[in-house]
Amino acid sequence: MQPEPFVREAGAGSGVVCLHSNASSSGQWRALIDELAPGFHVLAPDSYDAGKSPSWPSDRTISLSDEVALIAPVLARAGSPCMLVGHSYGAAIALMAALTSPVRISALALYEPTLFSLLDAESPSPNEADGIRQAVARCGDALDAADSGSAARHFIDYWMGEGSWARTPEARKPPIAASVANVRRWAHALWTEPTPLVAFRSLNVPVLYMTGEQSTRSARGVERLLTQALPKVEIVAFEQLGHMGPITHPEVVNPVIERFLRVCAAGG
């Protein structure tokens, strides 16, 4: 039996499904949900092993198609067509969901999808994905040594800059460290995704592609490829933000998402 995710839900109107990043949960979208709820039916699921959703139930290593299957009932509740918002791993899931059911998705607002398989398909290592590849390896070594704190530090410091884990409030560290236990699973899903870059040329829907100019080389490399392939893409670069912009600066990112969704819902 297919597990169902926990879902935050609010509002009425055109359906919007928000997909969170790794080491996070649907809670990262609280402010956006509040902003959108007066005009949209907003649903934000927790992914496997995040928030209140179930654990990945199989010994088989997860794929992005499994992540898409988990949110299938959420997309159904959102109605057809609906719009997707995604950040990082969640943005990668959003892209795959749109390819899987193109008639059900009318627009995508993406902040730095992490489809690293596209970089390796373009050119084997050494390439732009090496930084995150090395960070994942360091995380894995720390997990093998039963040091979840160090694993979380490697992961967070890669995405947010050296010293970010040390500056994280102590109360927030335990759930982040617990989630980073799944880092190899996330990496496997992102690096083994077989979908070729050319497939994204068929996504004939409006795409808002957001990026932080202070982000990592790996995220910017994926941006370079996808923004050339997506046929209806609008690029917004936030000069002072990094990869975690939707979490660190929602007051900057959320209004851009909201404006895009309102234009799309109005048929613009």
Side-chain angles (χ1 to χ4, degrees), residues 6 30 167 171 196 200 249:
F6 169 81
R30 284 191 189 97
R167 294 189 295 272
F200 296 99
H249 294 79

Side-chain angles (χ1 to χ4, degrees), residues 17-22 29 47 63-69 71 75 84-100 105 108-118 159 185-195 200 203 207-210 219 222 226 230 243:
V17 176
C18 302
L19 305 174
H20 64 82
S21 62
N22 286 333
W29 299 117
S47 63
S63 67
L64 290 180
S65 62
D66 295 314
E67 303 280 13
V68 172
I71 65 169
L75 298 180
L84 302 183
V85 176
H87 172 212
S88 191
Y89 189 77
I93 297 170
L95 280 168
M96 301 316 301
L99 284 179
T100 301
I105 309 302
L108 298 103
L110 310 173
Y111 195 105
E112 295 191 355
T114 47
L115 277 173
F116 304 127
S117 57
L118 299 177
W159 285 117
R185 191 178 78 195
W186 303 331
H188 179 273
L190 294 170
W191 265 293
T192 63
E193 173 52 49
T195 303
F200 296 99
L203 277 181
V207 177
L208 171 65
Y209 198 113
M210 295 166 285
V222 177
L226 280 173
L230 294 163
H243 182 69

Side-chain angles (χ1 to χ4, degrees), residues 11-257:
S14 300
V16 177
V17 176
C18 302
L19 305 174
H20 64 82
S21 62
N22 286 333
S24 185
S25 73
S26 59
Q28 81 166 73
W29 299 117
R30 284 191 189 97
L32 182 63
I33 292 170
D34 289 344
E35 291 172 28
L36 294 179
F40 296 92
H41 179 199
V42 192
L43 302 99
D46 287 334
S47 63
Y48 281 115
D49 293 284
K52 298 180 181 179
S53 276
S55 297
W56 170 237
S58 174
D59 291 335
R60 177 177 56 79
T61 306
I62 202 168
S63 67
L64 290 180
S65 62
D66 295 314
E67 303 280 13
V68 172
L70 178 68
I71 65 169
V74 184
L75 298 180
R77 280 163 61 181
S80 182
C82 65
M83 298 179 282
L84 302 183
V85 176
H87 172 212
S88 191
Y89 189 77
I93 297 170
L95 280 168
M96 301 316 301
L99 284 179
T100 301
S101 303
V103 298
R104 297 181 63 179
I105 309 302
S106 59
L108 298 103
L110 310 173
Y111 195 105
E112 295 191 355
T114 47
L115 277 173
F116 304 127
S117 57
L118 299 177
L119 293 173
D120 282 358
E122 179 193 39
S123 174
S125 180
N127 61 24
E128 290 157 296
D130 286 347
I132 181 60
R133 201 186 329 267
Q134 293 160 8
V136 168
R138 290 192 291 270
C139 287
D141 289 343
L143 291 171
D144 290 344
D147 187 349
S148 61
S150 289
R153 174 172 55 81
H154 291 307
F155 186 79
I156 297 301
D157 283 6
Y158 174 76
W159 285 117
M160 300 184 69
E162 194 72 25
S164 294
W165 178 248
R167 294 189 295 272
T168 300
E170 289 301 319
R172 293 181 56 195
K173 285 184 175 181
I176 296 173
S179 68
V180 171
N182 299 306
V183 66
R184 284 172 168 146
R185 191 178 78 195
W186 303 331
H188 179 273
L190 294 170
W191 265 293
T192 63
E193 173 52 49
T195 303
L197 181 63
V198 66
F200 296 99
R201 299 188 185 280
S202 69
L203 277 181
N204 196 33
V205 298
V207 177
L208 171 65
Y209 198 113
M210 295 166 285
T211 188
E213 293 190 357
Q214 306 304 313
S215 192
T216 65
R217 190 165 176 253
S218 61
R220 300 304 299 271
V222 177
E223 173 204 355
R224 174 178 57 82
L225 295 175
L226 280 173
T227 54
Q228 291 174 358
L230 294 163
K232 292 184 177 180
V233 65
E234 173 190 350
I235 304 168
V236 173
F238 297 98
E239 184 178 357
Q240 301 300 323
L241 303 191
H243 182 69
M244 303 307 290
I247 294 175
T248 61
H249 294 79
E251 74 284 357
V252 175
V253 177
N254 288 352
V256 175
I257 295 175

